[in-house]
Amino acid sequence: MSEQSLKISGLAASVAGNQILSGVDLEVRPGEVHAVMGPNGAGKSTLSHVIMGKPGYEATAGSVTVDGVDILSLPTWQRAQTGLFLAMQYPTEVPGVSLDDMLSNSFNASGRSTDGLSDALASEADRLAFGREFLERPLNVDMSGGERKRNETLQLTVLKPKYAILDELDSGLDIDALRVVSRRVEAATNEDQLGVLVITHYNRLLSELKPDRVHVLAGGRIAASGGPELALELEASGYADYAEPGAA
Amino acid sequence: MNERFSPDVLDSAAGLSARSGRADAAAAAVTTGLPTTETEEWRYSPISDSDFVELLNGLSPVLAAPSADAVERAEQYRQTVLERFESIAASVLILDGYVVDVDVDPGWAAKGLKLEVDQDRWLAAEPSEPTKFDQLHQAFSPGAIVIQSSGQVAITDPVVVVTHHESPSTLSCPHLVVEASEAGELTVVEHQTSAAGAGLQLPITELVAGKASRLRYTVVQENSEDHVQIGRQLSSVDGQASLTSGVAAFGGRYLRLRTDSRLIGRGANASLIAAYYGDGDQIHDFRTFQHHEARDTRSDLLFKGTQDDRSGSIYTGLIHIHPDGAGTNAFQTNRNVKLSDEAWAWSVPNLEIENNEVHCSHASTVSPVDDDQRFYLHARGVPPTAADRLIVAGFYDEVLTRLPSEAARQRVQELINTKLDRRIGNQADEA
């Protein structure tokens, strides 16, 4: 039995021919929360997109495995079906497609029963203080930034992946919403042993969602790793210490 | 034109009334040329003389009303359609252009719903530049079914019209007139079908919304894949009246529909929508006009289509604000999803504004399925074929919610799903 983890090894990636990541190593085990922080342009979102296989983001070296399964050779939907979830920074509007339709199709593809899906959506919406009327809306259409992030979290809790990447989940959320969403994700780490990779620019989210490990992504690789105290240091001193040589 | 369309044949045409203008129209049709892409009207249409010459050479007009046997066979089409409705105010069966049966609910008849066949009817206003097809219609149409409300009564159940084109290699000319009386309300849903090899159909639909009336009309076209249809829809909306006209075009080899929507009274409102989906070698060709001829009128046009395989579509539309059209709000949107490299779509919206106190907008897009939408669904574990199916079906949502008949909406949803299932089937075959 291979080791249970989301394991990123020596991952290099380029976008439109420009190398953005040049050897990222990270390992998230079930129930753990890892935070990836870094200055703007460090490649934080590129990391999430490469892991999920977004078109245009090309892994050029290294590997990403989910519980031992190499996912870089898989199409995006199969990566998701291995138990990986990406909460997007800017969730896309999909007119005319309901949450229920999308999740039913996802469940069907993996042979999961859709019995109880509607109930699960309703009870999870309640838990996230997300109005049930939003369940009827087409995906992300006419939703505020905060509503979209609750919607992302709702999908996470219903799909029940093994590992979730939360890309700037805090952007667009007010402080109350941030607390509700963080608590729900934290509960999933305890109840379902969800492994979490949080990508964030600010410490705000991490004061709610306590990370086990904090990593600084700079210059296309992990420049430093530490405990939660590292996030506090960054809050105080900024990312200047990790600026690339020669960078302004 | 072949000799079967000669004016002489009218002398022995048992099914056609001796209304004035027939023979002249037939004579004119002999000499009028076919439409060409040289004219603005047909500029974007991929038609060639030879296509039409070949088609017309193989056709005959339908000179006599269908036999009782033929009517009995056509009944199945009406029954299939009627099963989709919970209750109806009336139903009409039109076969090869002939109104062969009219069935009106006595309760609604008592409240003023009238359906009458008018064999002498031609257009109240002649088209300014009649095409060969208009002339053929005028010459060979057996007449119109006129559906009217009377008084300020809301006919809340729909009138269902089933138009079937059956006889092989024929030209059929159905003519439907719907008139909502002042402050009345009327809903008509038409379903069009055809047998393989039937030929060419030239439907004309006139929608007349009297003052302060509500008129709702939907046509669902699911003709056979070799069928050619060249139709006209003429509507006029009087003061404070509202018209909703929905077109769903799924069948046929070539469908051409010209719509002329006139807003003639102050405060008139028209909602004009269409959903179309072509695959194989189908062509859907729309030419729309929104004429704002009075103050404070509003029109909102939304046409959405999909092109797959080698199919194509043309949308050319004009918003025309007349000098008397102050306070007009006019919108025109055409969006297309292109599902294959060989598919094509032209989209050409236009404005002609003769009064400055107006709000007008037009928008058009032709694009493949959105990559970000795809990625979003894939990232949630939805496989690519299922994701495209969801996205394309969802693309029509905006149109479907505006269709003024629940039964038609459900049928259109089924037709979209059938197209998408066929697409998935084809992809599986290729894999």
Side-chain angles (χ1 to χ4, degrees), chain A residues 52 54 76-77 80-81 85-86 88 93 95-97 102 105-106 109 140 152 155, chain B residues 370 372-373 375-384 386 390-391 393-395 397:
Chain A
M52 212 64 215
K54 184 165 180 159
T76 295
W77 74 275
Q81 293 288 0
F85 183 90
L86 170 62
M88 297 190 194
E93 287 187 19
V97 179
M102 177 180 70
N105 273 272
S106 178
N140 300 313
E152 294 290 281
Q155 294 174 42
Chain B
D370 184 85
D372 287 337
Q373 293 180 0
F375 178 66
Y376 190 83
L377 297 189
H378 295 177
R380 299 298 186 250
V382 180
L390 284 173
I391 293 168
F395 165 75
D397 199 52

Side-chain angles (χ1 to χ4, degrees), chain B residues 81-277:
Chain B
V81 171
L82 291 183
E83 280 166 15
R84 301 185 195 125
F85 291 82
E86 278 179 22
S87 59
I88 60 165
S91 76
V92 180
L93 180 60
I94 302 176
L95 177 58
D96 294 339
Y98 288 76
V99 179
V100 293
D101 193 64
V102 177
D103 184 12
V104 189
D105 177 271
W108 285 119
K111 287 182 182 165
L113 176 64
K114 259 197 326 199
L115 284 82
E116 280 176 356
V117 178
D118 183 351
Q119 292 188 320
D120 295 328
R121 177 135 183 160
W122 173 236
L123 294 177
E126 296 260 349
S128 57
E129 289 171 30
T131 66
K132 191 182 193 79
F133 302 112
D134 294 324
Q135 291 159 345
L136 284 169
H137 188 109
Q138 186 179 6
F140 295 103
S141 162
I145 175 76
V146 182
I147 303 171
Q148 292 171 309
S149 64
S150 51
Q152 304 183 359
V153 176
I155 315 281
T156 49
D157 286 332
V159 175
V160 177
V161 178
V162 174
T163 305
H164 184 67
H165 188 185
E166 174 73 34
S167 298
S169 301
T170 55
L171 172 83
S172 81
C173 305
H175 188 177
L176 171 65
V177 180
V178 184
E179 295 176 354
S181 49
E182 181 168 346
E185 191 174 323
L186 191 51
T187 302
V188 174
V189 183
E190 183 181 9
H191 279 260
Q192 297 175 337
T193 50
S194 73
L200 172 65
Q201 188 183 45
L202 307 175
I204 290 181
T205 303
E206 295 179 79
L207 307 172
V208 182
K211 282 187 180 135
S213 67
R214 281 174 193 279
L215 175 52
R216 307 183 192 91
Y217 169 74
T218 307
V219 56
V220 181
Q221 185 271 109
E222 35 187 310
N223 289 329
S224 59
E225 60 185 20
D226 58 355
H227 197 260
V228 177
Q229 187 183 71
I230 297 172
R232 269 187 186 274
Q233 185 190 100
L234 302 144
S235 61
S236 71
V237 189
D238 211 333
Q240 301 300 329
S242 83
L243 165 72
T244 304
S245 164
V247 174
F250 287 82
R253 170 159 68 93
Y254 176 69
L255 168 135
R256 158 91 176 187
L257 178 63
R258 173 177 165 146
T259 65
D260 290 82
S261 311
R262 295 176 60 212
L263 297 128
I264 59 169
R266 186 166 188 176
N269 189 336
S271 171
L272 309 164
I273 47 188
Y276 50 101
Y277 190 138

Side-chain angles (χ1 to χ4, degrees), chain B residues 335-380:
Chain B
R335 303 208 182 279
N336 297 280
V337 178
K338 215 163 74 71
L339 293 178
S340 87
D341 291 340
E342 288 177 277
W344 53 272
W346 284 100
S347 183
V348 189
N350 271 302
L351 297 172
E352 185 183 337
I353 300 178
E354 298 183 73
N355 185 303
N356 289 325
E357 297 169 57
V358 299
H359 293 286
C360 293
S361 71
H362 59 174
S364 83
T365 51
V366 178
S367 55
V369 174
D370 184 85
D371 277 341
D372 287 337
Q373 293 180 0
R374 266 189 178 141
F375 178 66
Y376 190 83
L377 297 189
H378 295 177
R380 299 298 186 250

Side-chain angles (χ1 to χ4, degrees), chain B residues 294-306:
Chain B
R295 288 183 67 88
D296 303 324
T297 53
R298 179 187 166 88
S299 68
D300 186 357
L301 178 146
L302 176 66
F303 276 37
K304 285 189 140 187
T306 299

